[in-house]
Amino acid sequence: MQNKGLIKFFAILFAMVSIYQLSFTFVSSKIKGDAKSFANGNPEKEVKYLDSIGKEKVFNLGFTSFTFNEVKDKQINKGLDLEGGINVILQISVRDVLKGLSNNSKNPIFNKSLADATANQKGNQTYLDAFFDAFEANSKGSVKLASPDIFANRTLQGQGGIDFQMTDAQTKKVIKRKVDESVESAFGVLRKRIDQFGVTQPNIQKLGESGRILVELPGAKDVDRIKKLLQSTAQLEFWETYKADEMGNFLMAANEALKKTESKKVEVKTVAKDTLSALLTDKKDSTATKEGKGPIIDKIIAGGGGPVLAQFAPKDTALIGGYLRRADIRILLAPELHYAKFVWGKPETIKDAKGKDIETVQLYALKGNRDNVPAMGGGVVTDAKDTFDQLGKPAVSMQMNGQGSKAWEELTGKAYTQKSNIAIVLDNVVYSAPGVSSGPISGGRSEISGSFDISQTKDLANVLRAGKLPAAADIIQSEMVGPSLGQEAIENGTTSAIVGLLLVSLWMMVYYGKAGWYANVALAVNLLFLFGILASLGAVLTLPGIAGIVLTMGTAVDANIIIYERAKEELRSGKSLEEAVKTSYGWKGAMRSIVDANVTHILTGAVLFIFGSGPIKGFATTLLIGIITSLFTSIFIARIFIDWSISKNNKLSFVTGFSKNFFTNFHFDFLKIKKWTYLFSAVVTIVSIISLATNGLDEGVDFVGGRTFQVRFEKPVQAEQVKLELVKVFGSAEAKVFGNDNQLKITTKYKVKEHGIQADLEVNKLLFDNLKKYYSAGLTYDKFVNAYDGKKYGIVLASKVGPTIAEDIKTNAYWAVLGAMLIVGLYLVISFRKWQYSLGAIAAVIHDVIFVLGIYSLLYKYMPFGMEIDQHFVAAILTVIGYSMNDTVIVFDRVREFLDGKKAKGDFNSIVNQSINSTMSRTINTSLTMIMVLLIMFIFGGESIRGFIFAMLIGIVVGTYSSLFIATPVLCDTMSEAEHKKIEESHNS
């Protein structure tokens, strides 16, 4: 090997750099362990401890030292599936941005285009592009985007803006820029909120130009609190309110009108009597089943007073709100009440007639106007702090600027004179509606009080300080992983990695003897390099990423196997050890096969990286890095030891007593049975297609949208019973045993299209209310829903995928699979210079994909583990494609070598058979090492990736079969008879 000294130098240098990079991970892990011990299960105490030492020197190398903040920035970060925490993808509402830019245009074509864009947005299409398409289709040139009543308004006039003379193409450029600015503004606001929230190493990033923002909060545990923090637009407003007695007549009239269309028997529960309830209800039974007194009265569970019209159950707010927005009901408003705006307060807990706690929401009527604008906007607030009110209860104090101070003094003076109330409204929710009892308030100070706890006032002050979002931010995808589940994933991943490493190393020693030892050293160095690169790139390690590392162990020895098998052939042909090694490491030996095989693998890995997201991108990252590092170590590191052994005159035969005669006299006529293999594959393909058409696949929420909960119970439960109970409340639900029989995976599409925090809260509470009977009395809602250290029962993982992003994921999956096939097929045409090779490989891959899909379609109802079609499954399919191509290329390379040279004699089929037989040792060896590591991951890797590993296991077995019995026969059958005769004449002359 030339430049051996240079190779050694770079190997030592890479090793030292890798150790240096990994040292930060070890130091950071130790400090975080100390923080956990100090905090003793208190997450806030843990964060404060780490924050307090952030700027302290914690790692001294003698020539330089690092603070804790610098150390943690250089460590390998753990993904949420290992660390625990919350992952959210927010969609900034481009629809709201466009409405704002148009100054809430009333143009019918504009508004129809907004609605059409929402309804017809395609997978991977941005909302803005969908809007432009819809506008073009609706306007048909009759209206321009730059019309004065759409975008050529005062808001967008001026330099860099829009004027009515612009074409649609020019206007689109300005609109795109303005939308990007709004997303950038939202990104900044969210970053400020997250920075003040208090979690270690938060991650926030924009996802391309989609208007989506990824937020990852490792270690975060309070699910509802975080979602509320992220989704609040911080649209602060101050409104004058109507009193309950001013609205009493309207509510009675509305109730009477609704009786005609909504009458039914309803169970009515009232818990209090006051002015409004006295107007609307009789004074008989406080709880009774009666003929409905009207759709509004029947839903009241507590009366109002002052600015509160009445109190309703949270589940009824949508229904009552719908009634009050109906045109035939609003027409009943008196002229002076015509612009009244009905809004809800924040949920509060009161006691019913029996002293039991129940949750209610208060209804308010705000004094609106023609333009639907508040008496005073929240833009005047310059600062906000969490504090305590005069009664010692948590509150939020606000300071206004000069303009706001003057307006606030006028508004409070008016309220004092009229004895009315001022509602403080945030994101269309009334937080408090105080009266003014001591005259106008000067100085610009105001306060939000109510039924808060300290964490709520901290978050509210944080949101107000960070500023408002330019548009609504909807959670279209979310995932919560409990810390206990993350710790299990780490233990499972570590166990599978260690066992996999030991098995592969043992097999290499048993099969190749001393040369196997050298391959194992190269494998160990490969792992060092792999982790070192991950650390230097700041990569995030996930459970699929660990699977990628374990898989790398199988592929890492592949190049060694190819080289060793070639060296054995050269030794058998009579060459000396030195000549055999030199030939096997040459381009005409094993190198061309290794390059072709790994290029196909890299191409499929690159496709997976481009189209994957989250943990799948982590899997692709480790797979790609592992391929590159394993090539380096297999080719160069193992070679250094082999050359050293030759220089010492050590005997190196690449075999052991156990493997000496394996495949040495292997002669099987693969092409002779091609009719039977074609028939078998055809039957399997037909059965698979029929099953896919009739039985379908178990599509996961990644592809269809929905909510998934992994719930642990104290005792084993009946999945079917739980499913029936949940169907009653959710309409549709699935419940399957997931791993142990005390753990269920529950999925539902209930309100998955609703992105607000209220929908998520409702789902969580309904789930808790219907499952709490399976737990002991001590389990509260917070303990059931939220994550905390040591959590054993309740929701340990929750995820939500909205239908829009599900469509994007499905589209990406199709393109990823098709793209991988096309790219690799094109590479094979270029490399082999005959389209028949590419066709054979593609035929084998299509066969493998249909086979795996068929197995999943046939068995998903019966297997004791999840077999969902999701992003993980797509990653497995792409890995199978890469492996199948890899295996096929090795066979094809030997076929090409035998057909191009004169190593074999006989007819065409005989020459091809000889070439296949000569690669059998490599094919079986590589397949065995891959199957070993995948079996280890399947057994020890944990329930969450078992279906993912199973797909790869099936794929490896089928891929080995297809490379031998499908790809090569197709290659032969598509070559012309003239080509056959030409090759036979050349070989037999």
Side-chain angles (χ1 to χ4, degrees), residues 263-313:
S263 60
K264 60 179 72 174
K265 290 185 178 181
V266 182
E267 185 179 284
V268 184
K269 295 183 179 179
T270 57
V271 298
K273 295 283 192 289
D274 53 28
T275 307
L276 185 64
S277 61
L279 281 171
L280 300 181
T281 64
D282 63 11
K283 297 184 180 180
K284 296 180 182 178
D285 302 333
S286 62
T287 302
T289 300
K290 58 187 83 175
E291 289 292 334
K293 293 198 167 186
I296 294 179
I297 294 177
D298 289 344
K299 295 295 183 183
I300 294 175
I301 59 174
V308 179
L309 306 188
Q311 298 182 60
F312 298 84

Side-chain angles (χ1 to χ4, degrees), residues 137 220 272 363 420 534 791 812 835 850 856:
L363 177 65
S420 60
L534 287 174
K791 182 173 183 176
N812 281 341
W835 60 268
I850 292 175
Y856 267 60

Side-chain angles (χ1 to χ4, degrees), residues 322-390:
Y323 291 156
L324 298 177
R325 286 190 296 270
R326 277 170 44 171
D328 61 324
I329 299 301
R330 288 195 64 85
I331 203 171
L332 302 174
L333 285 163
E336 65 275 13
L337 307 177
H338 185 65
Y339 294 112
K341 179 179 179 180
F342 295 98
V343 295
W344 299 98
K346 60 189 292 289
E348 294 184 354
T349 301
I350 64 172
K351 294 190 180 295
D352 64 8
K354 297 180 180 179
K356 181 182 177 182
D357 287 343
I358 58 171
E359 194 172 49
T360 67
V361 184
Q362 297 175 335
L363 177 65
Y364 295 84
L366 308 181
K367 292 185 178 180
N369 48 53
R370 183 183 298 275
D371 297 321
N372 196 33
V373 295
M376 190 174 151
V380 298
V381 174
T382 57
D383 192 20
K385 295 180 180 179
D386 53 302
T387 182
F388 296 90
D389 63 16
Q390 294 177 343

Side-chain angles (χ1 to χ4, degrees), residues 26 40 113 327 482 496 500 547 573 599 624 711-712 764 768 861 893 896 920:
F26 293 125
N40 196 25
S113 299
S496 58
S573 68
V599 166
L624 285 169
V711 184
R712 283 186 183 169
N764 287 344
F768 172 68
K861 294 179 180 178
D893 197 75
R896 175 175 60 181
M920 280 305 296

Side-chain angles (χ1 to χ4, degrees), residues 433-736:
V436 181
S437 58
S438 57
I441 301 173
S442 60
R445 295 201 69 82
S446 59
E447 187 176 77
I448 303 176
S449 59
S451 56
F452 297 111
D453 59 34
I454 293 176
S455 66
Q456 289 174 327
T457 55
K458 283 182 181 295
D459 290 346
L460 185 54
N462 176 7
V463 164
L464 293 174
R465 280 196 304 272
K468 69 177 183 179
L469 290 171
D474 296 327
I475 293 178
I476 58 173
Q477 184 174 351
S478 64
E479 183 173 27
M480 182 282 291
V481 181
S484 57
L485 199 64
Q487 186 57 39
E488 288 176 16
I490 292 173
E491 292 170 359
N492 292 336
T494 303
T495 301
S496 58
I498 292 172
V499 175
L501 177 62
L502 291 175
L503 276 178
V504 170
S505 300
L506 180 62
W507 177 253
M508 292 300 289
M509 288 186 294
V510 168
Y511 201 88
Y512 293 108
K514 190 179 293 184
W517 276 100
Y518 300 152
N520 290 339
V521 173
L523 176 59
V525 174
N526 171 53
L527 291 175
L528 176 63
F529 287 174
L530 173 57
F531 280 107
I533 293 172
L534 287 174
S536 63
L537 293 177
V540 176
L541 188 62
T542 61
L543 186 55
I546 292 177
I549 291 170
V550 176
L551 198 60
T552 297
M553 295 177 195
T555 57
V557 295
D558 184 41
N560 288 119
I561 290 172
I562 297 171
I563 293 167
Y564 291 177
E565 291 301 323
R566 187 58 183 243
K568 284 159 64 175
E569 289 178 22
E570 299 300 332
L571 286 172
R572 290 191 196 109
S573 68
K575 288 184 179 180
S576 67
L577 177 59
E578 189 171 0
E579 289 174 337
V581 169
K582 186 175 181 180
T583 302
S584 62
Y585 274 94
W587 181 254
K588 291 184 178 180
M591 283 306 107
R592 183 161 64 172
S593 299
I594 291 171
V595 169
D596 281 337
N598 282 281
V599 166
T600 57
H601 224 150
I602 288 170
L603 288 173
T604 53
V607 169
L608 183 56
F609 181 83
I610 292 167
F611 289 98
S613 62
I616 301 307
K617 195 177 284 287
F619 171 75
T621 301
T622 54
L623 198 62
L624 285 169
I625 294 172
I627 292 168
I628 295 167
T629 56
S630 63
L631 275 175
F632 178 82
T633 55
S634 298
I635 295 171
F636 296 112
I637 302 299
R639 177 72 183 276
I640 288 172
F641 286 97
I642 290 172
D643 286 349
W644 172 83
S645 183
I646 292 172
S647 69
K648 296 293 183 182
N649 293 319
N650 291 331
K651 185 179 180 181
L652 196 65
S653 59
F654 301 98
V655 293
T656 63
F658 168 75
S659 63
K660 186 175 181 179
N661 297 317
F662 280 20
F663 301 104
T664 53
N665 294 306
F666 191 80
H667 301 291
F668 184 80
D669 195 340
F670 288 90
L671 297 180
K672 185 178 181 180
I673 63 167
K674 66 180 181 180
K675 291 182 179 178
W676 296 105
T677 57
Y678 279 164
L679 178 62
F680 169 74
S681 293
V683 170
V684 169
T685 301
I686 291 168
V687 170
S688 295
I689 291 172
I690 292 173
S691 180
L692 288 168
T694 57
N695 202 30
L697 292 162
D698 185 16
E699 290 188 271
V701 294
D702 281 1
F703 281 5
V704 296
R707 303 173 188 270
T708 300
F709 302 92
Q710 188 173 324
V711 184
R712 283 186 183 169
F713 297 85
E714 294 173 355
K715 298 176 181 178
V717 293
Q718 294 294 321
E720 193 61 30
Q721 181 182 340
V722 171
K723 173 186 173 180
L724 293 174
E725 291 170 353
L726 294 178
V727 165
K728 293 177 182 177
V729 292
F730 290 140
S732 67
E734 288 290 335
K736 299 178 181 177

Side-chain angles (χ1 to χ4, degrees), residues 766-933:
L766 284 173
L767 192 65
F768 172 68
D769 289 341
N770 285 273
L771 296 182
K772 63 183 179 183
K773 63 184 178 184
Y774 294 104
Y775 297 93
S776 56
L779 187 72
T780 62
Y781 168 79
D782 286 338
K783 286 185 176 180
F784 177 77
V785 170
N786 294 320
Y788 55 89
D789 291 328
K791 182 173 183 176
K792 295 182 179 179
Y793 308 118
I795 297 174
V796 292
L797 183 146
S799 66
K800 169 190 170 185
V801 180
T804 304
I805 199 167
E807 189 63 32
D808 290 354
I809 292 170
K810 186 183 287 188
T811 303
N812 281 341
Y814 290 143
W815 281 114
V817 174
L818 291 174
M821 290 184 185
L822 291 173
I823 290 171
V824 174
L826 180 61
Y827 173 77
L828 292 180
V829 170
I830 295 170
S831 178
F832 285 83
R833 298 176 186 174
K834 283 184 183 291
W835 60 268
Q836 290 93 340
Y837 287 98
S838 184
L839 180 63
I842 293 296
V845 165
I846 292 173
H847 166 274
D848 298 343
V849 171
I850 292 175
F851 198 108
V852 175
L853 287 171
I855 290 290
Y856 267 60
S857 177
L858 290 165
L859 300 181
Y860 76 84
K861 294 179 180 178
Y862 310 105
M863 284 294 192
F865 53 87
M867 297 182 73
E868 290 184 349
I869 307 301
D870 54 14
Q871 289 190 85
H872 291 81
F873 178 81
V874 174
I877 287 293
L878 286 171
T879 305
V880 167
I881 290 173
Y883 176 80
S884 181
M885 287 287 188
N886 183 312
D887 207 27
T888 302
V889 163
I890 297 298
V891 175
F892 277 3
D893 197 75
R894 185 55 62 91
V895 170
R896 175 175 60 181
E897 181 184 344
F898 273 41
L899 293 180
D900 290 347
K902 293 188 177 182
K903 286 189 175 182
K905 294 186 180 293
D907 60 21
F908 180 86
N909 284 2
S910 175
I911 296 168
V912 172
N913 270 318
Q914 290 177 60
S915 62
I916 299 173
N917 280 294
S918 67
T919 63
M920 280 305 296
S921 182
R922 177 266 167 195
T923 300
I924 299 301
N925 253 327
T926 302
S927 297
L928 278 176
T929 54
M930 292 286 285
I931 289 170
M932 275 194 295
V933 295

